[in-house]
Amino acid sequence: MAFRVVVDAGHGGRDPGAVFEGRQEKDDVLRLAMAVGEILENNGVEVVYTRTTDVYDTPYQKAVKGNNANADVFLSLHRNATASPGGATGIMTLVYEDTGLPAELARNINANLAALGFRDLGVIERPDLVVLRRTEAPAVLVEAGFIDNPNDNLMFDEQFNEIAAGIANGVLETLGLDQGMMPLTYYRVQTGAFRVREYADNLLMDLEANGFPAFITRGSDGLYRVQVGAFRELSNAVRMEQRLREAGYTTYITTRG
């Protein structure tokens, strides 16, 4: 029997969620929910959506939809925000309690998103949230970056397909449906590799100051690599490389983390 996953796009209708410079959370997460759901369906998972259009249901009504679907997993998608725009960056996944399958699912999703260059802010217990407290299925709420952070928005837009795949893959891994799947290849744009961490940190800060979603990895060879983005499509990596070169950075495309 196929697994059944409820995919919930947060907010909707009269509830826009977080808003930043005209951008609304409800729109970002609806698009993301549909993309994640499509990937799950293509991998044999039955998907139930709490909404597929711009409508509003209360969190309790969404939890009831999930319970009525007799789902194996309840996946709620959101974007984060702070009182001080631009003051925070990264992804996190919320759970009712940090144990069992929800904890495993949350960490699998976070690991996939962190591999794209997002800062991993961890798994956070939020027993006060209705969609986590009132759902009978194991439930997680994914905060896919901060909508009030321009760098997170750049990553959300330019790596949208990769983000959707990362969340879906986290679900598939947790359900044990990733067996036999081809390993994913991500194209990264590298701007430097250093023996000394301080040099890598300096380049990272310069890239971030110029609005690029950069991050540092350290390989088995001891080198600190400064990279921008992690793209499933080579064409997207090429476009990022062009932007970086126009900004004066030395680059090359690699699949090495």
Side-chain angles (χ1 to χ4, degrees):
M1 185 177 67
F3 286 101
R4 183 176 297 149
V5 174
V6 171
V7 179
D8 168 45
H11 308 285
R14 60 182 172 82
D15 175 14
V19 178
F20 178 67
E21 295 182 348
R23 183 173 190 145
Q24 299 184 92
E25 180 183 2
K26 68 173 184 176
D27 299 325
D28 280 1
V29 296
L30 178 57
R31 189 161 64 99
L32 184 60
M34 300 306 293
V36 170
E38 182 179 4
I39 296 170
L40 293 175
E41 289 172 339
N42 289 340
N43 284 275
V45 174
E46 183 180 345
V47 176
V48 176
Y49 300 91
T50 60
R51 69 180 179 99
T52 58
T53 58
D54 186 19
V55 296
Y56 175 75
D57 285 322
T58 67
Y60 176 73
Q61 288 172 317
K62 292 183 174 187
V64 169
K65 285 184 178 181
N67 294 340
N68 289 341
N70 193 27
D72 297 287
V73 166
F74 187 98
L75 176 69
S76 187
L77 302 177
H78 290 254
R79 299 204 63 206
N80 221 333
T82 64
S84 302
T89 179
I91 54 92
M92 66 175 66
T93 300
L94 313 182
V95 296
Y96 177 79
E97 192 173 39
D98 190 8
T99 60
L101 191 141
E104 179 185 356
L105 174 58
R107 284 175 172 79
N108 284 340
I109 291 173
N110 282 6
N112 277 287
L113 296 180
L116 301 177
F118 281 103
R119 181 175 297 170
D120 185 352
L121 300 177
V123 177
I124 311 297
E125 290 188 344
R126 285 293 302 274
D128 57 312
L129 296 180
V130 171
V131 293
L132 300 179
R133 186 177 77 247
R134 301 302 295 268
T135 47
E136 296 170 0
V140 299
L141 188 154
V142 180
E143 298 278 14
F146 284 77
I147 199 170
D148 57 0
N149 184 300
N151 286 346
D152 280 14
N153 286 337
L154 179 68
M155 294 181 70
F156 187 89
D157 293 337
E158 297 199 344
Q159 297 177 257
F160 178 81
N161 292 333
E162 291 78 11
I163 292 168
I167 294 171
N169 288 340
V171 175
L172 295 172
E173 291 165 12
T174 306
L175 296 177
L177 299 177
D178 60 330
Q179 301 301 315
M181 293 178 61
M182 292 294 291
L184 295 178
T185 298
Y186 289 107
Y187 299 96
R188 304 162 183 258
V189 185
Q190 185 160 306
T191 57
F194 306 93
R195 291 285 178 191
V196 179
R197 176 64 189 249
E198 181 183 357
Y199 299 154
D201 287 338
N202 289 339
L203 179 55
L204 175 71
M205 288 188 291
D206 185 74
L207 287 160
E208 290 180 335
N210 285 293
F212 292 105
F215 56 96
I216 295 173
T217 67
R218 189 182 188 191
S220 58
D221 56 5
L223 288 177
Y224 295 96
R225 291 177 172 81
V226 184
Q227 300 177 334
V228 178
F231 303 92
R232 288 284 292 121
E233 301 295 332
L234 178 59
S235 59
N236 292 334
V238 169
R239 282 195 290 272
M240 176 60 78
E241 183 180 38
Q242 290 172 340
R243 289 181 51 210
L244 285 160
R245 289 189 175 183
E246 289 171 359
Y249 296 98
T250 300
T251 67
Y252 75 90
I253 294 175
T254 180
T255 58
R256 181 176 185 179

